[in-house]
Amino acid sequence: MSLRIRIYIVVLLLNSLGYQASGIAKTFSLQDSLRRYQPGKSYTFQVESAIGEHAVAIEYIAGDAGSKLILTSPHGGDLKPEFMHTRTKDFVVSENDLDYGDTESFSAMADSKTLELTLALAEEIRKVTGLRPHVVLNHLHRCKLDANRAMSLAAQDDKNAIAAWKAFHQYIDDAKIQVAKNGSGLVLDIHGNAHRPQRTEVGLLLSGKDFGSGDLEKLADQSSLRALVRSGKASMKELATGDTALGTLLNQSGFTATPSKAYPNPIDANDFPDRRYFNGGYNTARHGSRFSGNISAIQLEFNQEVRMNDKSRNNYAKSIARAVTAFMNRYFK
């Protein structure tokens, strides 16, 4: 088979999956079809109805070659194409959805303004470090696709939602391949919470009660930072509540963050009477290092004050960028 024929087949296969470069519909170049992403360029996946209606569902903004950071926004989209199924809580979960822990909880509520916060954070990190992080965004509303659940519950048998779910995780996997060339790396899965009192929650796949156990080291293999602990660069306690834990660095940047040195237990009723804590979900488990690999993950749940105000969001993003950069410099240099 000639090279020209092989290239033609690759392009046909990728176009059948719906991958397009951003902007007005473009045909794939050889570079795109071979997934050699250009830093700073946007790549999108579109969903489409039987009569030709379409919408950009998933977007990947390729990071720089030297970046070790991936930012994801699974619940920040607001698009609700009428030709897509609306998810319901009555859907029966497939057994295959149990591979990465608790994936059975249902919600159709968006994490408002987290997509905008993710983009603002990416830009501030670029300014601080000189490197663009990789960015993967779900533009669909959570009522159409939950990109932080396993596929059956996430898409509920809608063919467009299934294809978009696959594209979202394929883009992350592609970014991880690029990051892995630099050694280890980190995925930050960006979310929003409405807990009271307001705080930012750092999810490491450890439950709230784990932080009162007295020995976090025994739980390191259950964490999404497993590879980082095994590398010998840090203990589990240091990563969760030490001086250079991400929660501690966020506290130093003006946030109430838990777990951290100041707030080591996210369900301590003295600090957080509602005792609610989001410890990480499907993305943190799948794309972190709990089960395999050398790339770790953290779920960041930002409170409403941080993300909802269009005028103040960029200033918060600057503070988050300082904390994230300090964390990356400490553990991923």
Side-chain angles (χ1 to χ4, degrees), residues 273-305:
D274 63 358
R275 303 193 72 200
R276 300 186 67 189
Y277 169 60
F278 290 135
N279 69 323
Y282 179 85
N283 293 345
T284 318
R286 172 172 174 168
H287 296 294
S289 58
R290 175 175 180 173
F291 293 97
S292 64
N294 200 34
I295 295 176
S296 294
I298 295 174
Q299 177 172 296
L300 286 177
E301 289 271 351
F302 289 102
N303 51 284
Q304 293 174 320
E305 181 182 3

mmCIF file of all heavy atoms in Angstrom, residues 273-305:
data_model
loop_
_atom_site.group_PDB
_atom_site.id
_atom_site.type_symbol
_atom_site.label_atom_id
_atom_site.label_comp_id
_atom_site.label_asym_id
_atom_site.label_seq_id
_atom_site.Cartn_x
_atom_site.Cartn_y
_atom_site.Cartn_z
ATOM 1 N N PRO A 273 -19.002 23.043 58.944
ATOM 2 C CA PRO A 273 -20.140 22.367 59.594
ATOM 3 C C PRO A 273 -20.971 21.491 58.670
ATOM 4 O O PRO A 273 -21.587 20.524 59.135
ATOM 5 C CB PRO A 273 -20.973 23.542 60.131
ATOM 6 C CG PRO A 273 -20.000 24.659 60.283
ATOM 7 C CD PRO A 273 -19.018 24.498 59.162
ATOM 8 N N ASP A 274 -20.978 21.790 57.374
ATOM 9 C CA ASP A 274 -21.760 20.941 56.462
ATOM 10 C C ASP A 274 -21.066 19.603 56.195
ATOM 11 O O ASP A 274 -21.680 18.661 55.697
ATOM 12 C CB ASP A 274 -22.057 21.663 55.151
ATOM 13 C CG ASP A 274 -20.805 22.019 54.342
ATOM 14 O OD1 ASP A 274 -19.679 21.734 54.810
ATOM 15 O OD2 ASP A 274 -20.957 22.583 53.246
ATOM 16 N N ARG A 275 -19.780 19.534 56.494
ATOM 17 C CA ARG A 275 -18.966 18.311 56.362
ATOM 18 C C ARG A 275 -19.058 17.708 54.955
ATOM 19 O O ARG A 275 -19.007 16.499 54.782
ATOM 20 C CB ARG A 275 -19.372 17.275 57.419
ATOM 21 C CG ARG A 275 -19.282 17.773 58.846
ATOM 22 C CD ARG A 275 -19.385 16.635 59.840
ATOM 23 N NE ARG A 275 -18.163 15.830 59.810
ATOM 24 C CZ ARG A 275 -18.121 14.574 60.263
ATOM 25 N NH1 ARG A 275 -19.204 13.982 60.720
ATOM 26 N NH2 ARG A 275 -16.970 13.907 60.217
ATOM 27 N N ARG A 276 -19.139 18.567 53.968
ATOM 28 C CA ARG A 276 -19.197 18.109 52.586
ATOM 29 C C ARG A 276 -17.820 18.299 51.938
ATOM 30 O O ARG A 276 -17.125 19.294 52.179
ATOM 31 C CB ARG A 276 -20.262 18.879 51.801
ATOM 32 C CG ARG A 276 -21.670 18.738 52.365
ATOM 33 C CD ARG A 276 -22.692 19.398 51.472
ATOM 34 N NE ARG A 276 -22.807 18.707 50.192
ATOM 35 C CZ ARG A 276 -23.504 19.168 49.161
ATOM 36 N NH1 ARG A 276 -24.131 20.337 49.234
ATOM 37 N NH2 ARG A 276 -23.559 18.484 48.036
ATOM 38 N N TYR A 277 -17.453 17.327 51.120
ATOM 39 C CA TYR A 277 -16.131 17.369 50.492
ATOM 40 C C TYR A 277 -16.149 16.527 49.228
ATOM 41 O O TYR A 277 -16.555 15.362 49.249
ATOM 42 C CB TYR A 277 -15.064 16.843 51.462
ATOM 43 C CG TYR A 277 -13.705 16.587 50.854
ATOM 44 C CD1 TYR A 277 -12.983 17.615 50.242
ATOM 45 C CD2 TYR A 277 -13.127 15.317 50.907
ATOM 46 C CE1 TYR A 277 -11.731 17.375 49.692
ATOM 47 C CE2 TYR A 277 -11.870 15.070 50.369
ATOM 48 C CZ TYR A 277 -11.174 16.109 49.760
ATOM 49 O OH TYR A 277 -9.931 15.873 49.217
ATOM 50 N N PHE A 278 -15.725 17.137 48.105
ATOM 51 C CA PHE A 278 -15.591 16.419 46.847
ATOM 52 C C PHE A 278 -14.132 15.974 46.705
ATOM 53 O O PHE A 278 -13.246 16.808 46.539
ATOM 54 C CB PHE A 278 -15.992 17.300 45.666
ATOM 55 C CG PHE A 278 -17.474 17.591 45.602
ATOM 56 C CD1 PHE A 278 -17.929 18.876 45.354
ATOM 57 C CD2 PHE A 278 -18.399 16.579 45.772
ATOM 58 C CE1 PHE A 278 -19.279 19.148 45.278
ATOM 59 C CE2 PHE A 278 -19.765 16.839 45.694
ATOM 60 C CZ PHE A 278 -20.212 18.124 45.449
ATOM 61 N N ASN A 279 -13.913 14.675 46.761
ATOM 62 C CA ASN A 279 -12.535 14.174 46.833
ATOM 63 C C ASN A 279 -11.957 13.744 45.488
ATOM 64 O O ASN A 279 -10.831 13.262 45.420
ATOM 65 C CB ASN A 279 -12.466 12.995 47.806
ATOM 66 C CG ASN A 279 -13.181 11.754 47.279
ATOM 67 O OD1 ASN A 279 -14.221 11.864 46.637
ATOM 68 N ND2 ASN A 279 -12.636 10.590 47.553
ATOM 69 N N GLY A 280 -12.705 13.926 44.404
ATOM 70 C CA GLY A 280 -12.220 13.526 43.089
ATOM 71 C C GLY A 280 -13.160 12.515 42.475
ATOM 72 O O GLY A 280 -13.842 11.762 43.182
ATOM 73 N N GLY A 281 -13.214 12.490 41.151
ATOM 74 C CA GLY A 281 -14.143 11.621 40.456
ATOM 75 C C GLY A 281 -13.471 10.782 39.385
ATOM 76 O O GLY A 281 -12.282 10.456 39.471
ATOM 77 N N TYR A 282 -14.250 10.485 38.362
ATOM 78 C CA TYR A 282 -13.792 9.598 37.290
ATOM 79 C C TYR A 282 -12.508 10.106 36.643
ATOM 80 O O TYR A 282 -11.562 9.340 36.436
ATOM 81 C CB TYR A 282 -14.897 9.476 36.242
ATOM 82 C CG TYR A 282 -14.536 8.611 35.060
ATOM 83 C CD1 TYR A 282 -14.701 7.232 35.110
ATOM 84 C CD2 TYR A 282 -14.026 9.166 33.880
ATOM 85 C CE1 TYR A 282 -14.369 6.425 34.020
ATOM 86 C CE2 TYR A 282 -13.690 8.373 32.798
ATOM 87 C CZ TYR A 282 -13.868 7.003 32.871
ATOM 88 O OH TYR A 282 -13.531 6.223 31.794
ATOM 89 N N ASN A 283 -12.462 11.384 36.312
ATOM 90 C CA ASN A 283 -11.290 11.920 35.612
ATOM 91 C C ASN A 283 -10.030 11.835 36.471
ATOM 92 O O ASN A 283 -8.943 11.518 35.972
ATOM 93 C CB ASN A 283 -11.528 13.371 35.193
ATOM 94 C CG ASN A 283 -12.606 13.486 34.143
ATOM 95 O OD1 ASN A 283 -12.996 12.498 33.527
ATOM 96 N ND2 ASN A 283 -13.109 14.692 33.939
ATOM 97 N N THR A 284 -10.174 12.134 37.755
ATOM 98 C CA THR A 284 -9.029 12.088 38.655
ATOM 99 C C THR A 284 -8.496 10.667 38.771
ATOM 100 O O THR A 284 -7.280 10.444 38.851
ATOM 101 C CB THR A 284 -9.425 12.606 40.046
ATOM 102 O OG1 THR A 284 -10.251 13.760 39.902
ATOM 103 C CG2 THR A 284 -8.200 12.977 40.865
ATOM 104 N N ALA A 285 -9.417 9.696 38.763
ATOM 105 C CA ALA A 285 -9.013 8.295 38.855
ATOM 106 C C ALA A 285 -8.431 7.790 37.537
ATOM 107 O O ALA A 285 -7.365 7.165 37.514
ATOM 108 C CB ALA A 285 -10.210 7.438 39.263
ATOM 109 N N ARG A 286 -9.118 8.074 36.449
ATOM 110 C CA ARG A 286 -8.674 7.553 35.151
ATOM 111 C C ARG A 286 -7.370 8.193 34.694
ATOM 112 O O ARG A 286 -6.477 7.509 34.178
ATOM 113 C CB ARG A 286 -9.752 7.772 34.098
ATOM 114 C CG ARG A 286 -9.279 7.431 32.684
ATOM 115 C CD ARG A 286 -10.370 7.467 31.666
ATOM 116 N NE ARG A 286 -9.837 7.282 30.317
ATOM 117 C CZ ARG A 286 -10.572 7.051 29.243
ATOM 118 N NH1 ARG A 286 -11.889 6.960 29.334
ATOM 119 N NH2 ARG A 286 -9.998 6.911 28.053
ATOM 120 N N HIS A 287 -7.258 9.499 34.850
ATOM 121 C CA HIS A 287 -6.115 10.212 34.276
ATOM 122 C C HIS A 287 -5.008 10.501 35.282
ATOM 123 O O HIS A 287 -3.958 11.017 34.912
ATOM 124 C CB HIS A 287 -6.593 11.483 33.586
ATOM 125 C CG HIS A 287 -7.494 11.226 32.423
ATOM 126 N ND1 HIS A 287 -7.037 10.600 31.283
ATOM 127 C CD2 HIS A 287 -8.816 11.461 32.241
ATOM 128 C CE1 HIS A 287 -8.047 10.480 30.424
ATOM 129 N NE2 HIS A 287 -9.128 10.984 30.982
ATOM 130 N N GLY A 288 -5.240 10.191 36.563
ATOM 131 C CA GLY A 288 -4.187 10.284 37.558
ATOM 132 C C GLY A 288 -3.399 8.991 37.627
ATOM 133 O O GLY A 288 -3.520 8.116 36.770
ATOM 134 N N SER A 289 -2.624 8.839 38.681
ATOM 135 C CA SER A 289 -1.693 7.703 38.757
ATOM 136 C C SER A 289 -2.132 6.636 39.750
ATOM 137 O O SER A 289 -1.362 5.731 40.059
ATOM 138 C CB SER A 289 -0.291 8.196 39.111
ATOM 139 O OG SER A 289 -0.293 8.912 40.340
ATOM 140 N N ARG A 290 -3.361 6.704 40.245
ATOM 141 C CA ARG A 290 -3.792 5.688 41.211
ATOM 142 C C ARG A 290 -3.723 4.280 40.623
ATOM 143 O O ARG A 290 -3.303 3.333 41.290
ATOM 144 C CB ARG A 290 -5.218 5.973 41.684
ATOM 145 C CG ARG A 290 -5.766 4.894 42.605
ATOM 146 C CD ARG A 290 -7.119 5.254 43.150
ATOM 147 N NE ARG A 290 -7.634 4.211 44.041
ATOM 148 C CZ ARG A 290 -8.741 4.327 44.756
ATOM 149 N NH1 ARG A 290 -9.441 5.447 44.710
ATOM 150 N NH2 ARG A 290 -9.153 3.341 45.519
ATOM 151 N N PHE A 291 -4.112 4.133 39.373
ATOM 152 C CA PHE A 291 -4.187 2.811 38.773
ATOM 153 C C PHE A 291 -2.986 2.494 37.880
ATOM 154 O O PHE A 291 -2.632 1.330 37.722
ATOM 155 C CB PHE A 291 -5.489 2.653 37.980
ATOM 156 C CG PHE A 291 -6.709 2.670 38.858
ATOM 157 C CD1 PHE A 291 -7.429 3.845 39.040
ATOM 158 C CD2 PHE A 291 -7.118 1.526 39.516
ATOM 159 C CE1 PHE A 291 -8.547 3.862 39.859
ATOM 160 C CE2 PHE A 291 -8.239 1.541 40.340
ATOM 161 C CZ PHE A 291 -8.953 2.718 40.515
ATOM 162 N N SER A 292 -2.377 3.521 37.294
ATOM 163 C CA SER A 292 -1.217 3.269 36.431
ATOM 164 C C SER A 292 -0.602 4.600 36.018
ATOM 165 O O SER A 292 -1.195 5.669 36.192
ATOM 166 C CB SER A 292 -1.634 2.490 35.171
ATOM 167 O OG SER A 292 -2.514 3.265 34.376
ATOM 168 N N GLY A 293 0.579 4.512 35.444
ATOM 169 C CA GLY A 293 1.196 5.668 34.811
ATOM 170 C C GLY A 293 1.973 6.563 35.743
ATOM 171 O O GLY A 293 1.995 6.402 36.966
ATOM 172 N N ASN A 294 2.613 7.568 35.129
ATOM 173 C CA ASN A 294 3.500 8.478 35.829
ATOM 174 C C ASN A 294 2.944 9.901 35.876
ATOM 175 O O ASN A 294 3.633 10.819 36.271
ATOM 176 C CB ASN A 294 4.874 8.478 35.140
ATOM 177 C CG ASN A 294 5.966 9.003 36.038
ATOM 178 O OD1 ASN A 294 5.937 8.793 37.253
ATOM 179 N ND2 ASN A 294 6.929 9.704 35.455
ATOM 180 N N ILE A 295 1.687 10.051 35.434
ATOM 181 C CA ILE A 295 1.043 11.366 35.450
ATOM 182 C C ILE A 295 -0.017 11.375 36.538
ATOM 183 O O ILE A 295 -0.900 10.517 36.565
ATOM 184 C CB ILE A 295 0.441 11.696 34.072
ATOM 185 C CG1 ILE A 295 1.571 11.828 33.047
ATOM 186 C CG2 ILE A 295 -0.382 12.984 34.139
ATOM 187 C CD1 ILE A 295 1.105 12.058 31.641
ATOM 188 N N SER A 296 0.082 12.313 37.439
ATOM 189 C CA SER A 296 -0.827 12.398 38.573
ATOM 190 C C SER A 296 -1.984 13.344 38.256
ATOM 191 O O SER A 296 -2.005 13.995 37.215
ATOM 192 C CB SER A 296 -0.068 12.851 39.819
ATOM 193 O OG SER A 296 0.867 11.853 40.214
ATOM 194 N N ALA A 297 -2.947 13.417 39.168
ATOM 195 C CA ALA A 297 -4.122 14.266 38.927
ATOM 196 C C ALA A 297 -4.667 14.795 40.245
ATOM 197 O O ALA A 297 -4.563 14.143 41.290
ATOM 198 C CB ALA A 297 -5.202 13.492 38.179
ATOM 199 N N ILE A 298 -5.252 15.970 40.173
ATOM 200 C CA ILE A 298 -5.922 16.599 41.314
ATOM 201 C C ILE A 298 -7.226 17.203 40.816
ATOM 202 O O ILE A 298 -7.252 17.861 39.770
ATOM 203 C CB ILE A 298 -5.053 17.700 41.954
ATOM 204 C CG1 ILE A 298 -3.774 17.115 42.564
ATOM 205 C CG2 ILE A 298 -5.834 18.460 43.021
ATOM 206 C CD1 ILE A 298 -2.801 18.163 43.087
ATOM 207 N N GLN A 299 -8.301 16.979 41.551
ATOM 208 C CA GLN A 299 -9.559 17.670 41.255
ATOM 209 C C GLN A 299 -9.608 18.933 42.099
ATOM 210 O O GLN A 299 -9.474 18.879 43.322
ATOM 211 C CB GLN A 299 -10.754 16.777 41.575
ATOM 212 C CG GLN A 299 -12.095 17.476 41.341
ATOM 213 C CD GLN A 299 -13.266 16.515 41.470
ATOM 214 O OE1 GLN A 299 -13.395 15.579 40.693
ATOM 215 N NE2 GLN A 299 -14.125 16.751 42.459
ATOM 216 N N LEU A 300 -9.803 20.076 41.461
ATOM 217 C CA LEU A 300 -9.920 21.347 42.164
ATOM 218 C C LEU A 300 -11.354 21.840 42.091
ATOM 219 O O LEU A 300 -11.883 22.078 40.997
ATOM 220 C CB LEU A 300 -8.973 22.385 41.557
ATOM 221 C CG LEU A 300 -7.486 22.209 41.879
ATOM 222 C CD1 LEU A 300 -6.662 23.271 41.150
ATOM 223 C CD2 LEU A 300 -7.238 22.305 43.388
ATOM 224 N N GLU A 301 -11.972 21.975 43.252
ATOM 225 C CA GLU A 301 -13.361 22.436 43.360
ATOM 226 C C GLU A 301 -13.357 23.872 43.875
ATOM 227 O O GLU A 301 -13.140 24.124 45.057
ATOM 228 C CB GLU A 301 -14.125 21.532 44.335
ATOM 229 C CG GLU A 301 -14.402 20.145 43.814
ATOM 230 C CD GLU A 301 -15.723 20.083 43.053
ATOM 231 O OE1 GLU A 301 -16.476 21.073 43.083
ATOM 232 O OE2 GLU A 301 -15.986 19.030 42.437
ATOM 233 N N PHE A 302 -13.605 24.815 42.974
ATOM 234 C CA PHE A 302 -13.552 26.216 43.356
ATOM 235 C C PHE A 302 -14.928 26.726 43.774
ATOM 236 O O PHE A 302 -15.951 26.423 43.137
ATOM 237 C CB PHE A 302 -13.016 27.064 42.198
ATOM 238 C CG PHE A 302 -11.547 26.852 41.948
ATOM 239 C CD1 PHE A 302 -11.109 26.056 40.898
ATOM 240 C CD2 PHE A 302 -10.602 27.424 42.784
ATOM 241 C CE1 PHE A 302 -9.767 25.839 40.676
ATOM 242 C CE2 PHE A 302 -9.247 27.220 42.578
ATOM 243 C CZ PHE A 302 -8.825 26.427 41.513
ATOM 244 N N ASN A 303 -14.936 27.511 44.826
ATOM 245 C CA ASN A 303 -16.187 28.069 45.336
ATOM 246 C C ASN A 303 -16.704 29.170 44.417
ATOM 247 O O ASN A 303 -16.006 29.652 43.517
ATOM 248 C CB ASN A 303 -15.992 28.597 46.759
ATOM 249 C CG ASN A 303 -14.800 29.527 46.894
ATOM 250 O OD1 ASN A 303 -13.665 29.063 46.914
ATOM 251 N ND2 ASN A 303 -15.047 30.820 46.970
ATOM 252 N N GLN A 304 -17.932 29.567 44.624
ATOM 253 C CA GLN A 304 -18.602 30.493 43.716
ATOM 254 C C GLN A 304 -17.925 31.853 43.645
ATOM 255 O O GLN A 304 -17.858 32.465 42.571
ATOM 256 C CB GLN A 304 -20.070 30.636 44.133
ATOM 257 C CG GLN A 304 -20.872 29.366 43.929
ATOM 258 C CD GLN A 304 -22.280 29.465 44.475
ATOM 259 O OE1 GLN A 304 -22.512 30.035 45.540
ATOM 260 N NE2 GLN A 304 -23.235 28.903 43.763
ATOM 261 N N GLU A 305 -17.422 32.352 44.761
ATOM 262 C CA GLU A 305 -16.780 33.667 44.762
ATOM 263 C C GLU A 305 -15.610 33.727 43.790
ATOM 264 O O GLU A 305 -15.368 34.752 43.152
ATOM 265 C CB GLU A 305 -16.297 33.995 46.179
ATOM 266 C CG GLU A 305 -15.637 35.368 46.288
ATOM 267 C CD GLU A 305 -15.115 35.636 47.693
ATOM 268 O OE1 GLU A 305 -15.211 34.734 48.548
ATOM 269 O OE2 GLU A 305 -14.613 36.744 47.917
#
